[in-house]
Amino acid sequence: MLLLTCPCCGVTAEETEFAPGGEAHLKRFGPGSADEDYESYMFNRKNPRGVHFERWRHAYGCGKWFLAARDTITLEVFGTYPAQTTEPPAEIVEKIKDRRPDWEGYA
Amino acid sequence: MSENLTSALPNAEFAGFVALREAGLQGMITLRGDLGSKALSKALSEATGCALPAQRKITTKGDHALAWMSPDELLILCPHDKAPKLVVTLSKALSGEFATLANVSDARAVFQISGPGWRDALAKISPVDFSTLAPGDLRRTRAAQVAAAILVDGPEEVRVICFRSVAQYMFDLLKTATAPGSEPMLYR
């Protein structure tokens, strides 16, 4: 079971109260962009074993989107942070490095 | 306005290990806007007498209450017949502000649960640690398969608000959850 804390309303709830929204921090490539960029934006996802950044929505609660850093194998949650963030915040990265010294970092 | 207004399940009642009843007509107004705005909190306190609630809290004054629903949403509770007028009053007071109002009174159903076992009853259908909830708190969550807002009015008194379209589902669900002799004794 995955326990997430919504940064918008402060509630810590279990997975069924949330709706998953796929990988976080995607950069959009729209009309006019190179085909490879567009293909990568549309279809290619990291899908890692281990540290992952995801979008979640507090569907049954406040209804807001937020981002979460978690481990896809152990389900350990490193932290959640507001959706208005273009890359993982420094304190979350610090925490992940602390817990997973061999993590190659966010790229 | 029609004289035949009825709530979702008029007079529906059930006596389980807690008392369950449909709460009847309840005026409800959804306000979306910038909750940090001074003009908004002033307009609200003038119209309802309630202070702006803190995160996940309810403030009550007489038969009016303000409930914190999300960072940009409040639920205004008032007597059912006063809701349309209150929308007009607030719309005028908030003209030019970043805020919208909608009278949702007849889109919702309210159930009242009374008794010391309310935590045990709701714990069966919602993924919430109810020991963290105290009077004056509000928790939006799900009850089995539908969305619900739980308003804690007193130590042994809570209200559950859901969409009117799922009122029968919610009532049947609460009946099952509060069936006599089925108390899990988690919180007592």
Side-chain angles (χ1 to χ4, degrees):
Chain A
M1 186 162 67
L2 196 55
L3 290 169
L4 297 171
T5 302
C6 172
C8 302
C9 67
V11 158
T12 299
E14 55 99 42
E15 196 179 338
T16 60
E17 210 171 285
F18 300 94
E23 190 177 312
H25 305 306
L26 296 178
K27 184 172 186 289
R28 180 173 182 269
F29 290 94
S33 57
D35 284 355
E36 301 82 65
D37 288 340
Y38 184 68
E39 184 204 14
S40 151
Y41 162 66
M42 282 298 282
F43 303 112
N44 297 346
R45 295 292 179 266
K46 288 186 173 137
N47 195 23
R49 274 167 61 84
V51 178
H52 194 32
F53 300 90
E54 290 174 333
R55 302 167 73 225
W56 285 86
R57 191 172 87 89
H58 197 182
Y60 282 102
C62 64
K64 300 293 175 197
W65 284 97
F66 62 94
L67 306 181
R70 68 168 184 119
D71 190 307
T72 56
I73 301 172
T74 64
L75 301 192
E76 177 178 355
V77 177
F78 302 110
T80 53
Y81 48 101
Q84 293 74 20
T85 316
T86 49
E87 57 182 53
E91 68 268 20
I92 302 266
V93 171
E94 267 322 295
K95 203 171 168 210
I96 300 172
K97 281 183 175 155
D98 200 40
R99 301 279 300 151
R100 300 279 186 281
D102 53 346
W103 177 55
E104 68 275 18
Y106 178 77
Chain B
M1 189 177 280
S2 163
E3 295 297 309
N4 304 319
L5 291 174
T6 54
S7 56
L9 304 169
N11 306 318
E13 280 188 323
F14 182 72
F17 63 81
V18 291
L20 165 69
R21 69 179 190 88
E22 204 253 12
L25 290 171
Q26 166 74 58
M28 279 179 261
I29 299 163
T30 288
L31 184 151
R32 283 237 177 211
D34 175 10
L35 302 190
S37 143
K38 280 203 180 103
L40 189 138
S41 57
K42 185 164 167 277
L44 281 172
S45 71
E46 275 169 11
T48 66
C50 303
L52 206 68
Q55 190 180 56
R56 301 198 311 279
K57 296 282 177 194
I58 310 162
T59 53
T60 312
K61 184 77 188 284
D63 48 13
H64 287 72
L66 298 181
W68 192 96
M69 300 296 272
S70 86
D72 57 3
E73 182 181 346
L74 289 180
L75 186 69
I76 305 166
L77 299 166
C78 64
H80 187 272
D81 55 341
K82 289 191 183 148
K85 211 170 164 202
L86 189 55
V87 172
V88 175
T89 313
L90 279 171
S91 302
K92 276 192 191 132
L94 292 171
S95 62
E97 279 294 306
F98 181 66
T100 61
L101 292 142
N103 183 357
V104 295
S105 309
D106 301 317
R108 307 275 171 84
V110 187
F111 295 95
Q112 193 149 29
I113 298 174
S114 321
W118 68 268
R119 287 187 169 87
D120 281 310
L122 292 177
K124 291 189 191 179
I125 53 173
S126 296
V128 176
D129 178 5
F130 283 101
S131 63
T132 59
L133 291 191
D137 281 355
L138 174 139
R139 179 69 154 83
R140 290 178 77 182
T141 182
R142 66 181 175 88
Q145 302 190 36
V146 297
I150 295 163
L151 280 65
V152 188
D153 295 318
E156 299 186 359
E157 201 72 35
V158 289
R159 274 178 292 173
V160 178
I161 302 180
C162 66
F163 285 117
R164 187 178 176 125
S165 56
V166 294
Q168 187 67 56
Y169 175 89
M170 182 66 92
F171 185 64
D172 293 343
L173 180 71
L174 288 170
K175 265 202 309 197
T176 311
T178 60
S182 70
E183 196 172 1
M185 293 297 199
L186 270 172
Y187 294 99
R188 283 203 285 165

